[in-house]
Each structure stands twice: as C-alpha cells, then as structure tokens.
Amino acid sequence: MTYPVITIDGPSGAGKGTLSLLLAKQYGFHLLDSGAIYRLGALAAKLLDVNIDDESAVANICQYLDVEFEPTESGVAVILNGQDVSQSLRTEEIGMMASTIAAYPSVREALVERQRSFARNPGLIADGRDMGTTIFPNANAKIFLTAGAEDRAKRRYNQLMEAGCEADYSQILADIEQRDLNDAGRAVSPLAPADDALLIDSSTMGIDEVCQTVVSHLQSLKII
Ligand SMILES: Nc1ncnc2c1ncn2[C@@H]1O[C@H](COP(=O)(O)OP(=O)(O)O)[C@@H](O)[C@H]1O
Ligand SMILES: Nc1ccn([C@@H]2O[C@H](COP(=O)(O)OP(=O)(O)O)[C@@H](O)[C@H]2O)c(=O)n1
C-alpha cells in the first residue's frame, strides 16, 4: 500500500469512534465506520419489514445498500436511500440488531469489498471489530482499544443523555455485555485483537491520553 491504513478495533463504547474521528481530522485521512454499515443493514431490514432471522434476505439487502457517507463538522452523516439516517442508526435497538446480523457469514461476506473500497489516498482510519484481522490484515498500524464493561456502559449512557435521548443504564450495560458475547463468540471474524495490534485499555484514560498514546505509536512506526 502506498498510503497508510490504520485500524482501530474493540468493543462497544471503548472510544473507537471518537479516537478515529480525531485522528482522521488531524491527518486529513478518510474514515471508515464499519459499525455504521452493519447498523445500516439492520436499519434497512427493519424499514423493509424483513425478518432479521432470515440470513439470505438480510445478506441480499446488505449487498445492495444504497448508502453515502458525507463528512460534516461533527462527524460523518449517513445517507440511506437519499435520507439522512445518522440519528436512527445510533439507538441501542439498532446496535443489538446489527450485532445479530453481523454474526451471519453471508452478511459479512457481502460487506467486505464495500469496506475495502474506503482505503484511498492520503490514508484511512478504519473503525470496527475485524478491521485489523480480516478487512485490512496488512494495515500499517493496528490498535485494539478496550475498557471495562461498566466504564463503557457509563460512557454510552452519558453520550445518549447528552444527545437528549432516553437511556437506562442497566439496560445499556446488559446490551453491551450481550453484544460483547455475540461479537467475541461468533464463528466468522470474531472480535479479537490482531496478533500485531497495540492493546490499549482506556478504563482509566481520558480520550486525550488515548489519542496521544496512539499518535506516539504511529510516530514510532514512522507512519505520520
Ligand atoms: N477515554 C475516554 N474516556 C471517557 N469517555 C470517553 C473516552 N473515549 C470515548 N469516550 C466517550 O464515550 C462515548 C462512547 O465513545 P465512542 O467513541 O462512541 O465508542 P465506540 O466507537 O468504541 O463505541 C462517547 O461519548 C465518547 O465521547
Ligand atoms: N467491523 C465490525 C463493526 C461492527 N460490527 C457489529 O456491528 C455492531 C455495531 O457496531 P458499532 O461499532 O456501531 O457499535 P458501537 O461500538 O458504536 O456500539 C457491533 O456490535 C458488531 O456486532 C461487526 O461485527 N464488525
């Protein structure tokens, strides 16, 4: 690869999206929010009234998703069939549905090339669960960002409250634990650090410290 690909994997609420956006802005790199693509598959199935237990129907929807990602000041707006669905994507209901369909091998296969197509000059920050293990195994740098389940649930709770959404901490914690189990336990591309990933536990770190740790790592690899 002539341009750098940096992968940021880890469980829900670890801070991957926040870190990825900071890095993409700082270095002018493209950003792949792969979780948003699984969420889009789940949302599209819901809007079309397709049963998410029907693997082949869901995989077909994922193969032909009509989606655009538009950079904005605060992140990336997600446009599905011409409609901005950025808000409806972020609910825990869609997160849980995404986790269900993400276990289907044919859904993952249908989304591989779409994800790889984000790798372009001058570089890519790829955020997800299997970026370093499956989608970009030759990435220039791989980060696995984690934090304790309770810390992650608190962060998600605060995030939803700040966005003016309803939130129930116990439910969020239960959902996060369930998604951790689904993501780490599935047969295809389970959530796991790549052998060559830098592991960061952010339980007691602020986002600035996390970002500085990653920047130092990228500098030591002479990527930036
Ligand atoms: N190190 C951190 N310390 C405290 N809060 C954080 C940290 N990293 C991220 N957050 C906050 O936690 C919430 C979830 O972070 P996010 O980046 O969406 O996680 P992920 O993409 O891994 O699910 C956001 O509100 C974010 O601002
Ligand atoms: N590369 C990826 C990204 C997300 N996913 C799935 O999609 C769900 C939603 O991902 P997300 O990154 O938007 O979730 P959060 O970490 O933001 O809560 C996850 O729970 C995973 O099951 C995946 O399997 N592989």
Side-chain angles (χ1 to χ4, degrees), residues 17-130:
T18 310
L19 171 66
S20 298
L21 189 58
L22 284 171
L23 293 172
K25 275 190 174 168
Q26 191 163 339
Y27 299 105
F29 287 178
H30 298 281
L31 180 60
L32 165 59
D33 176 0
S34 61
I37 297 181
Y38 287 93
R39 285 173 182 263
L40 276 163
L43 180 66
K46 186 182 170 195
L47 294 175
L48 290 168
D49 234 352
V50 164
N51 184 345
I52 62 157
D53 295 333
D54 184 343
E55 175 173 347
S56 67
V58 176
N60 192 49
I61 288 173
C62 290
Q63 181 80 52
Y64 298 106
L65 279 175
D66 172 8
V67 59
E68 282 169 55
F69 294 86
E70 290 181 358
T72 67
E73 251 315 289
S74 53
V76 178
V78 187
I79 316 291
L80 176 66
N81 298 325
Q83 298 241 356
D84 187 339
V85 294
S86 316
Q87 286 294 336
S88 19
L89 276 192
R90 299 311 318 168
T91 64
E92 273 305 306
E93 182 204 0
I94 294 297
M96 282 300 285
M97 287 172 69
S99 164
T100 300
I101 69 162
Y104 298 150
S106 58
V107 165
R108 301 200 76 84
E109 188 54 41
L111 296 174
V112 168
E113 286 314 317
R114 189 185 287 270
Q115 294 174 83
R116 289 191 178 141
S117 72
F118 279 75
R120 268 173 267 143
N121 249 331
L124 177 71
I125 310 289
D127 159 358
R129 303 291 189 288
D130 61 343

Side-chain angles (χ1 to χ4, degrees), residues 8 15-24 143 145 207 210-211 214:
I8 318 270
K16 305 177 303 293
T18 310
L19 171 66
S20 298
L21 189 58
L22 284 171
L23 293 172
I143 309 295
L145 183 60
I207 188 64
V210 171
C211 196
V214 173

